[in-house]
Amino acid sequence: MLRYLARKLFIYLLTFIVAVTIDWAIPRFMPGNPVDALVSRIAMMPDANAALTSYFMAAFNLDQPLWQQYFNFWKALFNGDLGRSIMLFPTPVTTLIGRALPYTLGLLLPSILLSWYVGNMVGALAARRKILDNTVLPLGYLLTATPYMWLGILLAWLLGSVLGWFPLAFGYDQALKAEWTWRFFGSLVFHWVLPFASLFLVALGGWAIGMRNMIIYELESDYANYLQALGAPARLVRKYAFRNAMLPQITGLALQLGAVVGGALATEIVFSYPGLGWLVLSGIQNQDYFVIQGVFLFIIVGVLLANLIVDIVYVVVDPRTRVGLQGDAA
Amino acid sequence: MTSTDSAAPAAAGKTHGNEFLYFASRNTKLVIGTVVFVLFLLAAIFGPMLAAYQPMTFDAPPGLPPSAEHWFGTTLFGQDVFSQFVHGLRSSFIVGALGGITAAAIGMFVGFFAGYRGGLVDEVLNMLTNVVLVIPTFAVLLVVAAYLSVRGLGTEALFIGLTSWPWAARAIRAQTFSLTSRDFVDMARLNGEGTFRIIFGQIAPNMSSYLVMTFILLFGGAILTAAMLDFIGLGPTDGISLGLMMNYSVMNAALQLGMWWWFVPPGLAITGIVGSLYVMNVGLDEVFNPKLRAL
């Protein structure tokens, strides 16, 4: 078990180092020298000039050798310094991310967990049941093929614009002040429904299909045939098939995280939802590179942590990993 | 269990290619998927010739609903939506093909060599695969695209291909592993054939159906990723795409104005193309794998 987790941890650590290196290297080795563009942008902001120049000296230190620059980058990172936003100068990037993060997490966590749970249930029910299968399967493929933002757009248009049931944009009613009252909380939930629903639905299709296929595969295996030959009730056989089919779905959860995060960013943009996606969009529109880079690092760290949690869950669920047999192929 | 079993003997005497066509033409999923895909492909190839207007010029009255003059209506700025749509379709197919080919090439290279060579080569390649697999590639694309001041379809496809290969490499590696221990591979090795010849002469042909299906999924994945990138505002800077159409419509309040003709076609096309690819894939799986046919 320890060997299994240690191996995974090593990969995550390596991934983190690679990601930080990418984050460091891209602005420096990209054609067109974005650093020059940044410096010239700052030159137009007299009040920001002094403060930002000092940051550049610390972060970029272009006159120093490359290894020294790389080292400085890591040092700033461990001090929690991701630079300052240019569009909202002088707010530190970490503050902006901290403000947006709760919204993104509030969308992501429920939609990932719920779609995974409901999708698995629906898929398990549909497998080998003609009528249900014939509706779940095409619908599932349709949903997985839908771009996240398009389902969001459709929901916003039908339920928001045409029917007027839900608000079209923002994280809460802009007339309200952000404080912990019931009215504010209600508005928060009200604005959350549509972006959540679009993320939930797109992810749901993939899980349902995956579970359905796994159950069919498991029902064909020797142990299922043996149980059936012994005269075990179909419910019991299905129960065992479900427990075995669960394992690849748990691994799949870790693999899908990156895609779902991307989907969440796009969905937030549809609804002008004040999460990380919205932050990235305004970062792109204002060429605020530090914001984009900061969000990038946060997503990496978040996805790696989530992967680690999935691995620990996997160890709990699959006894083979505990006794040293390699349960997972990786 | 009924129709396929009785049909099998009839096809058994024919050559391999005919047998494939025989089962392929009788698989509804494959037929439906292929028809939808080909329809969109034809629209992408011939649509731009049919379009009476340029995609990016502002020469029509703004905000018109669909009519005989403008089949898909016009945008808020007076651009012809149909013309944007067919040009966008073309970009989607180009990105899907280029991105899919790039990813398939890397995935095959890594998968074949890791699976066939084993040992240290496998360890290193597997580590690389796992690292790229865990990185949220969309976030990487975000940073790379943000720093590129000029972006074309080609670079977009290339970067999508460079980040989307790991699962394919993993799957191909597993398949290669199981084939490497077969007798015919041992024979080839005894004959003194080189690694390249064994991989592409013995192993690859024996998993060709698997490779085709992998490519189809990579193709669809590339189209979806590109649409998402374009929508966030990191699409090609020198043209139109389906994702960009959605971006423009949302950014310019098409939702509030109820201009559904602006944002429904591009999303519908992406869903249609990617969905048809997925359904095709299931159909192909059933055609290639006799075990699945009975289902």
Side-chain angles (χ1 to χ4, degrees), chain B residues 17-90:
Chain B
N18 283 340
E19 190 190 319
F20 170 74
L21 280 182
Y22 179 86
F23 284 114
S25 61
R26 270 157 192 76
N27 187 298
T28 11
K29 289 180 192 126
L30 184 57
V31 171
I32 293 176
T34 313
V35 167
V36 173
F37 184 79
V38 169
L39 280 181
F40 277 113
L41 186 64
L42 289 178
I45 295 172
F46 298 109
M49 301 173 198
L50 283 174
Y53 300 87
Q54 290 298 310
M56 300 308 279
T57 49
F58 308 93
D59 45 9
L64 286 182
S67 63
E69 180 70 10
H70 297 279
W71 296 347
F72 285 10
T74 60
T75 70
L76 194 62
F77 313 109
Q79 297 148 305
D80 185 52
V81 176
F82 177 75
S83 171
Q84 290 198 340
F85 176 72
V86 285
H87 280 92
L89 266 184
R90 209 176 249 195

Coordinates of all heavy atoms in Angstrom, one line a residue, chain B residues 17-90:
Chain B
G17 N -12.4 -8.2 -46.6 CA -12.9 -6.8 -46.8 C -14.4 -6.9 -47.0 O -15.1 -6.0 -46.4
N18 N -14.9 -7.8 -47.7 CA -16.3 -8.0 -47.9 C -17.0 -8.3 -46.7 O -18.1 -7.8 -46.4 CB -16.6 -9.1 -49.0 CG -16.3 -8.6 -50.4 OD1 -16.3 -7.4 -50.6 ND2 -16.1 -9.5 -51.3
E19 N -16.4 -9.1 -45.8 CA -17.0 -9.5 -44.6 C -17.2 -8.2 -43.7 O -18.3 -8.0 -43.1 CB -16.2 -10.5 -43.8 CG -16.9 -11.1 -42.6 CD -15.9 -11.9 -41.8 OE1 -15.1 -12.6 -42.4 OE2 -16.0 -11.8 -40.6
F20 N -16.2 -7.4 -43.7 CA -16.2 -6.1 -42.9 C -17.4 -5.3 -43.4 O -18.2 -4.8 -42.7 CB -14.9 -5.4 -43.0 CG -15.0 -4.0 -42.5 CD1 -15.1 -3.8 -41.1 CD2 -15.1 -2.9 -43.3 CE1 -15.1 -2.5 -40.6 CE2 -15.2 -1.6 -42.8 CZ -15.2 -1.5 -41.4
L21 N -17.5 -5.1 -44.8 CA -18.5 -4.3 -45.3 C -19.9 -4.9 -45.0 O -20.9 -4.2 -44.7 CB -18.4 -4.2 -46.8 CG -17.4 -3.1 -47.3 CD1 -17.3 -3.1 -48.8 CD2 -17.7 -1.8 -46.7
Y22 N -20.0 -6.2 -45.1 CA -21.2 -6.9 -44.8 C -21.7 -6.6 -43.4 O -22.9 -6.2 -43.3 CB -21.0 -8.4 -44.9 CG -22.2 -9.3 -44.7 CD1 -23.1 -9.5 -45.7 CD2 -22.5 -9.8 -43.4 CE1 -24.3 -10.3 -45.4 CE2 -23.6 -10.5 -43.1 CZ -24.5 -10.8 -44.2 OH -25.6 -11.5 -43.9
F23 N -20.9 -6.7 -42.4 CA -21.3 -6.4 -41.1 C -21.5 -4.9 -40.8 O -22.4 -4.5 -40.1 CB -20.4 -7.0 -40.0 CG -20.6 -8.5 -39.9 CD1 -19.6 -9.4 -40.2 CD2 -21.7 -9.0 -39.4 CE1 -19.7 -10.7 -40.1 CE2 -21.9 -10.4 -39.2 CZ -20.9 -11.2 -39.6
A24 N -20.6 -4.1 -41.5 CA -20.7 -2.7 -41.3 C -22.0 -2.1 -41.8 O -22.6 -1.3 -41.1 CB -19.5 -2.0 -42.0
S25 N -22.4 -2.6 -43.0 CA -23.6 -2.0 -43.6 C -24.9 -2.4 -42.8 O -25.9 -1.8 -42.9 CB -23.7 -2.4 -45.0 OG -23.8 -3.8 -45.1
R26 N -24.7 -3.5 -42.0 CA -25.9 -4.0 -41.2 C -25.9 -3.4 -39.8 O -26.8 -3.8 -39.0 CB -26.0 -5.5 -41.2 CG -26.7 -6.0 -42.4 CD -26.3 -7.4 -42.7 NE -26.9 -7.8 -44.0 CZ -26.4 -7.4 -45.2 NH1 -25.3 -6.6 -45.2 NH2 -26.9 -7.8 -46.3
N27 N -24.9 -2.6 -39.4 CA -24.8 -2.1 -38.1 C -25.5 -0.7 -38.1 O -24.9 0.3 -38.6 CB -23.4 -2.0 -37.6 CG -23.3 -1.7 -36.2 OD1 -23.7 -0.6 -35.8 ND2 -22.8 -2.5 -35.4
T28 N -26.6 -0.6 -37.5 CA -27.3 0.7 -37.5 C -26.5 1.8 -36.9 O -26.5 2.9 -37.5 CB -28.7 0.6 -36.7 OG1 -28.7 -0.6 -36.0 CG2 -29.8 0.7 -37.7
K29 N -25.8 1.6 -35.8 CA -25.1 2.6 -35.2 C -24.0 3.2 -36.1 O -23.9 4.4 -36.3 CB -24.4 2.1 -33.9 CG -25.4 1.8 -32.8 CD -24.7 1.3 -31.5 CE -25.7 0.8 -30.6 NZ -25.4 -0.6 -30.2
L30 N -23.3 2.2 -36.7 CA -22.2 2.7 -37.6 C -22.8 3.4 -38.8 O -22.3 4.5 -39.2 CB -21.4 1.4 -38.1 CG -20.2 1.7 -39.0 CD1 -19.3 2.6 -38.2 CD2 -19.5 0.4 -39.3
V31 N -23.9 2.9 -39.3 CA -24.5 3.6 -40.5 C -25.0 5.0 -40.2 O -24.6 6.0 -40.8 CB -25.6 2.8 -41.1 CG1 -26.4 3.5 -42.2 CG2 -25.1 1.5 -41.6
I32 N -25.7 5.1 -39.1 CA -26.2 6.4 -38.7 C -25.1 7.4 -38.4 O -25.1 8.5 -38.9 CB -27.1 6.3 -37.4 CG1 -28.4 5.5 -37.8 CG2 -27.5 7.7 -36.9 CD1 -29.3 5.3 -36.6
G33 N -24.1 6.9 -37.6 CA -23.0 7.8 -37.3 C -22.3 8.2 -38.5 O -21.9 9.4 -38.7
T34 N -22.0 7.3 -39.4 CA -21.3 7.7 -40.7 C -22.1 8.7 -41.5 O -21.5 9.7 -42.0 CB -21.0 6.4 -41.5 OG1 -20.5 5.4 -40.6 CG2 -20.0 6.7 -42.6
V35 N -23.4 8.5 -41.6 CA -24.2 9.4 -42.4 C -24.2 10.8 -41.9 O -23.9 11.8 -42.6 CB -25.7 8.9 -42.5 CG1 -26.6 9.9 -43.1 CG2 -25.7 7.6 -43.4
V36 N -24.4 10.9 -40.5 CA -24.3 12.2 -39.9 C -23.0 12.9 -40.1 O -22.9 14.1 -40.5 CB -24.7 12.1 -38.4 CG1 -24.5 13.5 -37.7 CG2 -26.1 11.6 -38.2
F37 N -21.9 12.1 -39.9 CA -20.6 12.7 -40.0 C -20.3 13.1 -41.4 O -19.8 14.2 -41.7 CB -19.5 11.6 -39.6 CG -18.1 12.1 -39.6 CD1 -17.6 12.8 -38.6 CD2 -17.3 11.8 -40.7 CE1 -16.3 13.3 -38.6 CE2 -16.0 12.2 -40.7 CZ -15.5 13.0 -39.7
V38 N -20.7 12.3 -42.4 CA -20.4 12.7 -43.8 C -21.2 13.9 -44.2 O -20.8 14.8 -44.9 CB -20.7 11.5 -44.7 CG1 -20.8 11.9 -46.2 CG2 -19.7 10.4 -44.5
L39 N -22.5 14.0 -43.7 CA -23.3 15.2 -44.0 C -22.6 16.5 -43.5 O -22.5 17.4 -44.3 CB -24.6 15.1 -43.3 CG -25.7 14.2 -44.0 CD1 -27.0 14.2 -43.2 CD2 -25.9 14.7 -45.4
F40 N -22.1 16.4 -42.3 CA -21.3 17.6 -41.8 C -20.1 17.9 -42.6 O -19.7 19.0 -42.9 CB -21.0 17.4 -40.3 CG -22.1 17.8 -39.4 CD1 -22.8 16.8 -38.6 CD2 -22.6 19.1 -39.3 CE1 -23.8 17.2 -37.8 CE2 -23.6 19.5 -38.5 CZ -24.2 18.5 -37.7
L41 N -19.4 16.8 -43.0 CA -18.2 16.9 -43.7 C -18.4 17.5 -45.1 O -17.7 18.4 -45.5 CB -17.5 15.5 -43.9 CG -16.1 15.5 -44.6 CD1 -15.1 16.2 -43.7 CD2 -15.7 14.0 -44.9
L42 N -19.5 17.1 -45.8 CA -19.9 17.7 -47.0 C -20.2 19.2 -46.9 O -19.8 20.0 -47.7 CB -21.1 16.9 -47.6 CG -20.8 15.5 -48.1 CD1 -22.1 14.9 -48.7 CD2 -19.8 15.5 -49.2
A43 N -20.9 19.5 -45.8 CA -21.3 20.9 -45.5 C -20.0 21.7 -45.4 O -19.9 22.8 -45.8 CB -22.2 21.0 -44.3
A44 N -19.0 21.1 -44.7 CA -17.7 21.8 -44.5 C -17.0 22.0 -45.8 O -16.3 23.0 -46.0 CB -16.9 21.0 -43.5
I45 N -17.1 21.0 -46.7 CA -16.3 21.1 -47.9 C -17.0 22.0 -48.9 O -16.4 22.9 -49.5 CB -16.1 19.7 -48.6 CG1 -15.3 18.8 -47.6 CG2 -15.5 19.8 -49.9 CD1 -15.2 17.4 -48.1
F46 N -18.3 21.8 -49.1 CA -19.0 22.5 -50.2 C -19.7 23.8 -49.7 O -20.1 24.6 -50.5 CB -20.0 21.6 -50.9 CG -19.3 20.4 -51.6 CD1 -19.4 19.2 -51.1 CD2 -18.4 20.7 -52.7 CE1 -18.7 18.1 -51.7 CE2 -17.8 19.6 -53.3 CZ -17.9 18.3 -52.8
G47 N -20.0 23.8 -48.4 CA -20.7 24.9 -47.8 C -20.1 26.3 -48.2 O -20.9 27.2 -48.6
P48 N -18.8 26.5 -47.9 CA -18.3 27.8 -48.2 C -18.4 28.2 -49.7 O -18.5 29.4 -50.0 CB -16.8 27.6 -47.9 CG -16.8 26.5 -46.9 CD -17.9 25.6 -47.2
M49 N -18.6 27.2 -50.6 CA -18.8 27.6 -52.0 C -20.3 28.0 -52.2 O -20.5 28.9 -53.1 CB -18.5 26.4 -52.9 CG -17.1 25.9 -52.8 SD -17.0 24.3 -53.8 CE -15.5 23.6 -53.1
L50 N -21.2 27.5 -51.4 CA -22.6 27.8 -51.6 C -22.9 29.2 -50.9 O -23.8 29.8 -51.3 CB -23.4 26.7 -50.9 CG -23.6 25.4 -51.6 CD1 -24.4 24.4 -50.8 CD2 -24.4 25.7 -52.9
A51 N -22.1 29.5 -49.9 CA -22.4 30.7 -49.1 C -22.3 31.9 -50.0 O -21.3 32.1 -50.7 CB -21.5 30.8 -47.9
A52 N -23.4 32.8 -50.0 CA -23.4 33.9 -50.9 C -22.6 35.1 -50.3 O -22.4 36.1 -51.0 CB -24.9 34.3 -51.2
Y53 N -22.3 35.0 -49.0 CA -21.7 36.1 -48.3 C -20.4 35.7 -47.7 O -20.1 34.5 -47.5 CB -22.6 36.7 -47.2 CG -23.9 37.1 -47.7 CD1 -25.0 36.2 -47.8 CD2 -24.1 38.5 -48.0 CE1 -26.2 36.7 -48.2 CE2 -25.3 38.9 -48.5 CZ -26.4 38.0 -48.6 OH -27.6 38.5 -49.0
Q54 N -19.5 36.7 -47.4 CA -18.3 36.4 -46.7 C -18.6 36.3 -45.3 O -19.5 36.9 -44.7 CB -17.3 37.6 -47.0 CG -16.8 37.7 -48.4 CD -15.9 36.4 -48.7 OE1 -15.1 36.0 -48.0 NE2 -16.3 35.8 -49.9
P55 N -17.8 35.4 -44.5 CA -18.1 35.2 -43.1 C -17.9 36.4 -42.2 O -18.6 36.6 -41.3 CB -17.2 34.1 -42.7 CG -16.1 34.1 -43.7 CD -16.7 34.6 -45.0
M56 N -16.9 37.2 -42.5 CA -16.6 38.3 -41.6 C -16.9 39.7 -42.0 O -16.6 40.7 -41.3 CB -15.0 38.2 -41.2 CG -14.6 36.9 -40.7 SD -15.6 36.4 -39.2 CE -14.8 37.3 -38.0
T57 N -17.5 39.8 -43.2 CA -17.9 41.2 -43.6 C -19.2 41.6 -43.1 O -20.1 40.8 -42.8 CB -17.9 41.3 -45.2 OG1 -18.7 40.2 -45.6 CG2 -16.5 41.2 -45.8
F58 N -19.4 42.9 -42.9 CA -20.6 43.4 -42.3 C -21.5 44.0 -43.4 O -21.7 45.2 -43.4 CB -20.2 44.5 -41.3 CG -19.2 44.1 -40.3 CD1 -17.9 44.3 -40.5 CD2 -19.6 43.4 -39.1 CE1 -16.9 43.9 -39.6 CE2 -18.6 43.0 -38.2 CZ -17.3 43.2 -38.4
D59 N -22.0 43.2 -44.3 CA -22.7 43.7 -45.4 C -24.2 43.4 -45.4 O -24.9 43.5 -46.4 CB -22.1 43.3 -46.7 CG -21.8 41.8 -46.7 OD1 -22.2 41.1 -45.8 OD2 -21.1 41.3 -47.6
A60 N -24.7 43.0 -44.2 CA -26.2 42.6 -44.2 C -26.8 43.5 -43.1 O -26.1 43.9 -42.2 CB -26.4 41.2 -44.0
P61 N -28.1 43.6 -43.1 CA -28.8 44.3 -42.0 C -28.6 43.5 -40.7 O -28.6 42.2 -40.7 CB -30.3 44.2 -42.3 CG -30.3 43.9 -43.8 CD -29.1 43.2 -44.1
P62 N -28.3 44.1 -39.6 CA -28.0 43.4 -38.3 C -29.2 42.7 -37.7 O -30.3 43.1 -37.8 CB -27.5 44.5 -37.4 CG -28.1 45.7 -37.9 CD -28.3 45.6 -39.4
G63 N -28.9 41.5 -37.0 CA -29.9 40.9 -36.2 C -31.1 40.3 -36.9 O -32.2 40.2 -36.3
L64 N -31.0 39.9 -38.2 CA -32.1 39.3 -38.9 C -32.3 37.9 -38.5 O -31.3 37.1 -38.4 CB -31.9 39.4 -40.4 CG -32.0 40.7 -41.1 CD1 -31.8 40.5 -42.6 CD2 -33.3 41.3 -40.8
P65 N -33.5 37.4 -38.3 CA -33.8 36.0 -38.1 C -33.6 35.3 -39.4 O -33.6 35.9 -40.5 CB -35.2 35.9 -37.6 CG -35.9 37.2 -38.0 CD -34.8 38.2 -38.1
P66 N -33.5 33.9 -39.4 CA -33.3 33.2 -40.6 C -34.4 33.5 -41.7 O -35.6 33.7 -41.4 CB -33.5 31.7 -40.2 CG -33.1 31.7 -38.8 CD -33.5 33.0 -38.2
S67 N -34.0 33.6 -42.9 CA -34.9 33.9 -44.0 C -34.3 33.3 -45.3 O -33.3 32.6 -45.3 CB -35.0 35.4 -44.2 OG -33.7 35.9 -44.6
A68 N -35.0 33.4 -46.4 CA -34.5 32.9 -47.7 C -33.2 33.5 -48.1 O -32.4 32.9 -48.7 CB -35.6 33.1 -48.7
E69 N -33.1 34.8 -47.8 CA -31.9 35.6 -48.1 C -30.7 35.1 -47.3 O -29.6 34.8 -47.8 CB -32.2 37.1 -48.0 CG -31.0 38.0 -48.4 CD -30.8 38.0 -49.9 OE1 -31.6 37.4 -50.6 OE2 -29.8 38.5 -50.3
H70 N -30.9 35.1 -46.0 CA -29.9 34.7 -45.0 C -30.4 33.5 -44.3 O -31.2 33.6 -43.4 CB -29.6 35.8 -44.0 CG -29.0 37.0 -44.7 ND1 -27.7 37.2 -45.0 CD2 -29.6 38.2 -45.0 CE1 -27.5 38.3 -45.6 NE2 -28.7 39.0 -45.6
W71 N -29.9 32.3 -44.7 CA -30.5 31.0 -44.3 C -30.4 30.9 -42.8 O -31.4 30.3 -42.2 CB -29.7 29.8 -44.9 CG -29.9 29.8 -46.4 CD1 -30.8 30.6 -47.1 CD2 -29.2 29.1 -47.4 NE1 -30.7 30.3 -48.5 CE2 -29.7 29.4 -48.6 CE3 -28.2 28.2 -47.3 CZ2 -29.3 28.8 -49.8 CZ3 -27.7 27.6 -48.5 CH2 -28.2 27.9 -49.7
F72 N -29.4 31.3 -42.2 CA -29.3 31.2 -40.7 C -29.4 32.5 -40.0 O -28.9 32.7 -38.9 CB -27.9 30.5 -40.3 CG -27.9 29.0 -40.6 CD1 -28.9 28.4 -41.3 CD2 -26.8 28.3 -40.1 CE1 -28.8 27.0 -41.5 CE2 -26.8 26.9 -40.3 CZ -27.8 26.3 -41.0
G73 N -29.9 33.5 -40.7 CA -30.0 34.9 -40.1 C -28.7 35.6 -40.2 O -27.7 35.2 -40.8
T74 N -28.7 36.7 -39.5 CA -27.4 37.5 -39.4 C -27.1 37.8 -38.0 O -27.9 37.8 -37.1 CB -27.5 38.8 -40.2 OG1 -28.6 39.6 -39.6 CG2 -27.8 38.6 -41.6
T75 N -25.8 38.2 -37.7 CA -25.4 38.5 -36.4 C -25.8 39.9 -36.0 O -26.4 40.7 -36.8 CB -23.9 38.4 -36.2 OG1 -23.3 39.5 -37.0 CG2 -23.4 37.1 -36.7
L76 N -25.5 40.3 -34.8 CA -25.8 41.7 -34.3 C -25.1 42.7 -35.1 O -25.5 43.9 -35.2 CB -25.4 41.8 -32.8 CG -25.9 42.9 -32.0 CD1 -27.4 42.9 -32.0 CD2 -25.3 42.9 -30.6
F77 N -24.0 42.3 -35.8 CA -23.2 43.3 -36.6 C -23.5 43.2 -38.1 O -22.8 43.8 -38.9 CB -21.7 43.1 -36.3 CG -21.4 43.0 -34.8 CD1 -21.0 41.8 -34.3 CD2 -21.6 44.1 -34.0 CE1 -20.8 41.7 -33.0 CE2 -21.3 44.0 -32.7 CZ -20.9 42.8 -32.1
G78 N -24.4 42.3 -38.4 CA -24.7 42.2 -39.9 C -23.8 41.3 -40.6 O -23.5 41.5 -41.8
Q79 N -23.3 40.2 -39.9 CA -22.6 39.2 -40.7 C -23.5 38.0 -40.9 O -24.4 37.7 -40.1 CB -21.4 38.7 -39.8 CG -20.3 39.7 -39.6 CD -19.7 39.5 -38.2 OE1 -20.3 39.4 -37.2 NE2 -18.4 39.4 -38.2
D80 N -23.3 37.3 -42.0 CA -24.1 36.2 -42.4 C -23.8 35.0 -41.6 O -22.6 34.5 -41.6 CB -24.0 35.9 -43.9 CG -24.9 34.8 -44.4 OD1 -26.1 34.9 -44.1 OD2 -24.4 33.8 -45.0
V81 N -24.7 34.4 -40.8 CA -24.4 33.3 -39.9 C -24.2 32.1 -40.6 O -23.3 31.3 -40.2 CB -25.6 33.1 -38.8 CG1 -25.3 31.9 -38.0 CG2 -25.8 34.4 -38.0
F82 N -24.9 31.8 -41.7 CA -24.7 30.6 -42.5 C -23.2 30.5 -43.0 O -22.6 29.5 -42.9 CB -25.6 30.5 -43.6 CG -25.4 29.2 -44.5 CD1 -25.8 28.0 -44.0 CD2 -24.8 29.3 -45.7 CE1 -25.6 26.9 -44.8 CE2 -24.6 28.2 -46.5 CZ -25.0 27.0 -46.0
S83 N -22.8 31.6 -43.5 CA -21.4 31.6 -44.0 C -20.4 31.4 -42.9 O -19.4 30.6 -43.1 CB -21.2 33.0 -44.7 OG -19.8 33.1 -45.0
Q84 N -20.6 32.0 -41.7 CA -19.7 31.8 -40.6 C -19.8 30.3 -40.2 O -18.7 29.7 -39.9 CB -20.2 32.6 -39.4 CG -19.9 34.1 -39.6 CD -19.9 34.8 -38.3 OE1 -20.5 34.4 -37.3 NE2 -19.4 36.0 -38.2
F85 N -21.0 29.8 -40.2 CA -21.2 28.4 -39.8 C -20.4 27.4 -40.7 O -19.7 26.6 -40.2 CB -22.7 28.1 -39.9 CG -23.0 26.7 -39.5 CD1 -22.9 26.2 -38.3 CD2 -23.5 25.8 -40.5 CE1 -23.3 24.9 -38.0 CE2 -23.8 24.5 -40.3 CZ -23.7 24.0 -39.0
V86 N -20.5 27.5 -42.0 CA -19.8 26.6 -42.8 C -18.3 26.7 -42.8 O -17.6 25.8 -42.8 CB -20.3 26.6 -44.3 CG1 -21.7 25.9 -44.4 CG2 -20.4 28.0 -44.8
H87 N -17.9 28.0 -42.7 CA -16.4 28.2 -42.6 C -15.9 27.7 -41.2 O -14.8 27.1 -41.1 CB -16.1 29.7 -42.7 CG -16.0 30.2 -44.1 ND1 -17.1 30.7 -44.8 CD2 -15.0 30.1 -45.0 CE1 -16.7 31.0 -46.0 NE2 -15.4 30.7 -46.2
G88 N -16.8 27.8 -40.2 CA -16.4 27.3 -38.8 C -16.4 25.8 -38.9 O -15.5 25.2 -38.2
L89 N -17.3 25.2 -39.6 CA -17.3 23.7 -39.7 C -16.0 23.3 -40.3 O -15.3 22.3 -39.8 CB -18.4 23.3 -40.7 CG -19.8 22.9 -40.1 CD1 -20.6 22.4 -41.2 CD2 -19.6 21.8 -39.1
R90 N -15.5 24.0 -41.3 CA -14.3 23.6 -42.0 C -13.1 23.7 -40.9 O -12.3 22.7 -40.9 CB -14.0 24.6 -43.1 CG -13.2 24.1 -44.2 CD -13.1 25.1 -45.3 NE -13.8 24.7 -46.5 CZ -13.6 25.2 -47.7 NH1 -12.8 26.2 -47.8 NH2 -14.3 24.8 -48.7

